[in-house]
């Protein structure tokens, strides 16, 4: 089979020394095992994220995303655009959809893109996909299970799907209320998914963890508490904002609510990297503030 | 009252609904709401909304312009999209809330001190200048938005989080002096300027 190639939109949080840099490390590691190539979109920009709307408005926000799509269609012609970040995927996909439905918005966006010399490059023909879609649809669970060298036996994992890979678009074949793809991925890696985990699609507060910390931390507390209540030792997620919010505020929540949270929150790709036999460093485990010790132990075994 | 706001009050004197339909992102959906309240019950920050989405929709139809646009309700949206996927009429509620918040902010009548409004402005200015998020300057500007003293206090509260991120290589302590944005900042700035011009023209704000 020919090597699969994708036009890659890493997004701001995946940059070196940014909050999800370890996510990128783990994705690069599994890309070697699964033999796919990520061709970074040259000179990509921010998607506007979930908070950009207030100052940015409608057209400037779509112009930002359209610029990335145009750059991709120009430099990585014919390749599907793939994002690892949930917000990047959502923002790009939303613009792509909106422009395909409104000729007025498309014309306005192209007029703006002209200022960046890209008006003729926007075609809007390529699909916009999240990395988990690539794994599930282009490989499938069975194929993803084949390279497993070190099954993650005995680890109970809560699959925290969160919002933005799940709504409003979601992953094909999954329900909004109880998506199962993380559980299936976890199981494929040999671990034990906590299927009764009832906060798997609860919002972590998103960007409001910055601006409304008290309100958001109530959400985060629910997400962690339920994981513990159902016997999970770890939480796994597909979203950089979910990962960060659920991991880094545990100390603050402990102080405020007298809890004793200390639960690792990893990316699905980190589980995969460890199960595929990569080192802790290659799985980006040194980027976890709450160390994923069970995974580190498995990674260090010969 | 700001000039932009006065202009719109005069233009749409008799119908706030028409104003919303013309000027707010996805605003032409507002009349489709059937007042079931599923959105209110699905919102993670629901209890903090002075007026939940279905109430906002009814207030728009009832012409309660000032109450809606000066409300901090829409600023409670976390962009979780729960309301969108559950709405039986399939209204793009999240986008309408974003649209209303943006419109109120554009007219200069959104609640001045709302932290999400202020953070959102800091965020957009951050990405519009270099093209990519600079997480260090973004956090510093957020913590210091109320001045030095409260900034130091918030900075100390967040010290543990910040150090944890620096230690694990997830925050660049040198972000103040080195940050890699896009190469074509000139093109990006021109594009954003043009996009804003077109948008203002379409909404009669230019």
């Amino acid at each position: 089979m020919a090597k699969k190639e994708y036009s890659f939109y890493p997004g701001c949080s995946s940059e070196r020394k940014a909050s999800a840099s370890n996510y990128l490390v783990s994705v690069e590691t599994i890309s070697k095992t699964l033999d796919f190539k990520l061709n970074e979109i040259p000179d990509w920009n921010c998607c506007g994220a979930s908070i950009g709307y207030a100052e940015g408005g409608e057209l400037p926000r779509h112009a930002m995303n359209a610029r990335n799509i145009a750059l991709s269609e120009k430099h990585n012609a014919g390749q599907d655009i793939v994002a690892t970040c949930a917000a990047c995927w959502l923002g790009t996909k939303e613009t792509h959809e909106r422009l395909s439905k409104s000729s007025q918005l498309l014309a306005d966006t192209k007029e703006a893109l002209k200022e960046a010399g890209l008006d003729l490059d926007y075609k809007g023909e390529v699909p916009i996909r999240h990395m988990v879609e690539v794994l599930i649809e282009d490989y499938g669970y069975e194929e993803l299970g084949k390279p497993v060298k070190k099954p993650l036996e005995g680890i109970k994992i809560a699959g925290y799907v969160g919002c933005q890979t799940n709504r409003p678009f979601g992953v094909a074949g999954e329900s909004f209320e109880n998506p199962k793809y993380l559980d299936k991925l976890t199981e494929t890696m040999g671990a034990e998914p906590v299927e009764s985990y009832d906060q798997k699609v609860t919002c972590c507060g998103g960007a409001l963890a910055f601006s409304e910390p008290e309100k958001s931390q109530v959400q985060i507390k629910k997400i962690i508490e339920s994981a513990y209540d159902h016997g999970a030792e770890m939480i796994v997620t597909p979203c950089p904002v979910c990962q960060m919010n659920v991991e880094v505020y545990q100390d603050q929540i402990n102080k405020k609510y007298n809890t004793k949270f200390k639960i690792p929150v990893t990316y699905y790709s980190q589980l995969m990297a460890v199960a595929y036999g990569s080192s802790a460093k290659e799985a980006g485990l040194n980027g976890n503030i709450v160390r994923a010790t069970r995974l580190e132990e498995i990674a260090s075994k010969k | 009252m700001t000039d932009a706001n006065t202009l719109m009050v005069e233009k749409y004197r008799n119908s706030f609904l028409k104003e919303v339909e013309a000027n707010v992102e996805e605003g032409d959906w507002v009349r489709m709401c059937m007042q079931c309240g599923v959105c209110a019950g699905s919102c993670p920050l629901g209890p903090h909304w002075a007026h939940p989405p279905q109430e906002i929709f009814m207030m728009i139809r009832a012409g309660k312009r000032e109450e809606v646009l000066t409300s901090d309700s829409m600023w409670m949206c976390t962009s979780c999209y729960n309301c969108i996927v559950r709405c039986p009429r399939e209204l793009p509620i999240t986008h309408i809330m974003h649209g209303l918040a943006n419109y109120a902010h554009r007219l200069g009548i959104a609640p001045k001190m709302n932290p999400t409004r202020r953070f959102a402005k800091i965020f957009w200015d951050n990405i519009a200048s270099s093209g990519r998020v600079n997480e260090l300057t973004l956090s510093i500007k957020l913590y210091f938005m109320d001045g030095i003293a409260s900034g130091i206090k918030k900075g100390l509260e967040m010290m543990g989080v910040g150090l944890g991120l620096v230690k694990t290589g997830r925050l660049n302590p040198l972000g103040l002096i080195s940050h890699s944005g896009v190469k074509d900042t000139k093109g990006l700035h021109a594009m954003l300027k043009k996009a804003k011009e077109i948008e203002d023209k379409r909404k009669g704000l230019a």
Side-chain angles (χ1 to χ4, degrees), chain A residues 12-13 15-22 40-64 67 90 94 98 104 107-109 111-113 115-116 163-164 166-169 176-177 201 203 205-208 210-212 215-216 219 222 240 243-244 247-249 252 267 286-289 291, chain B residues 23-26 44-45 48 74-86 95 97-99 101-103 105-106 114-117 119-121 123-125 127-128 131-133 135 138-139 142-143 157-158 161 164-165 167-173 179-188 190-192 194-196 198-199 201-203:
Chain A
C12 305
S13 66
E15 289 208 275
R16 206 176 69 85
K17 290 205 173 175
S19 55
S21 49
N22 59 329
E40 186 169 331
I41 299 172
D43 213 36
W44 57 266
N45 54 254
C46 174
C47 68
S50 61
I51 198 79
Y53 67 85
E55 171 77 6
E58 195 174 356
L59 191 58
R61 207 176 77 238
H62 290 311
M64 292 283 263
R67 181 177 176 274
L90 172 57
E94 186 189 300
R98 215 62 89 75
Q104 175 79 76
D108 288 351
T109 304
E111 201 183 329
L113 280 177
E115 299 292 318
C163 301
Q164 299 201 338
N166 185 40
R167 299 181 299 258
F169 300 112
F176 296 128
E177 308 291 340
V201 295
C203 177
L208 272 67
F210 285 100
S211 55
E212 298 274 9
K215 297 180 180 77
S216 301
Q219 295 298 111
K222 274 194 273 192
Q243 196 284 333
M244 165 132 159
E247 182 186 47
V248 308
Y249 298 112
Q252 293 191 0
Y267 295 104
N286 53 358
N288 289 71
I289 293 174
R291 306 305 291 236
Chain B
N23 292 346
V24 171
E25 183 167 356
E26 304 279 327
L45 262 54
H48 304 289
M74 302 84 77
W75 300 96
M76 297 295 152
C77 174
T78 64
S79 307
C80 80
Y81 298 86
N82 225 351
C83 52
I84 288 197
V85 302
R86 287 185 181 167
H95 300 300
M97 295 303 125
H98 290 178
N102 165 257
Y103 187 55
H105 173 66
R106 176 68 185 82
N114 178 274
T116 300
R117 189 196 69 79
F119 177 54
K121 178 159 171 45
F123 183 85
W124 182 266
D125 292 346
I127 61 171
R132 294 181 190 175
V133 179
E135 292 176 343
L138 178 70
S139 319
L142 172 72
Y143 300 138
E157 281 166 23
M158 293 305 292
V161 173
L165 288 168
K167 269 190 219 157
T168 50
R170 289 165 57 190
L171 183 66
N172 185 2
H179 167 66
S180 60
V182 299
K183 289 190 200 87
D184 184 23
T185 42
K186 203 173 152 220
L188 182 92
M191 176 188 84
L192 291 175
K194 177 57 96 181
K196 186 162 183 349
I198 300 171
E199 183 150 290
K201 197 177 77 192
R202 295 251 175 259
K203 294 183 178 174

Side-chain angles (χ1 to χ4, degrees), chain B residues 37-70:
Chain B
V38 164
C39 50
S42 301
C43 179
L45 262 54
H48 304 289
W49 291 58
H51 309 291
Q54 97 276 7
E55 212 169 290
I56 299 241
F57 295 143
M58 190 52 102
M59 288 164 77
I60 292 170
R61 301 195 295 222
K64 295 193 176 295
R65 185 179 190 278
E66 198 178 333
E67 290 93 323
V68 169
L69 295 178
T70 60

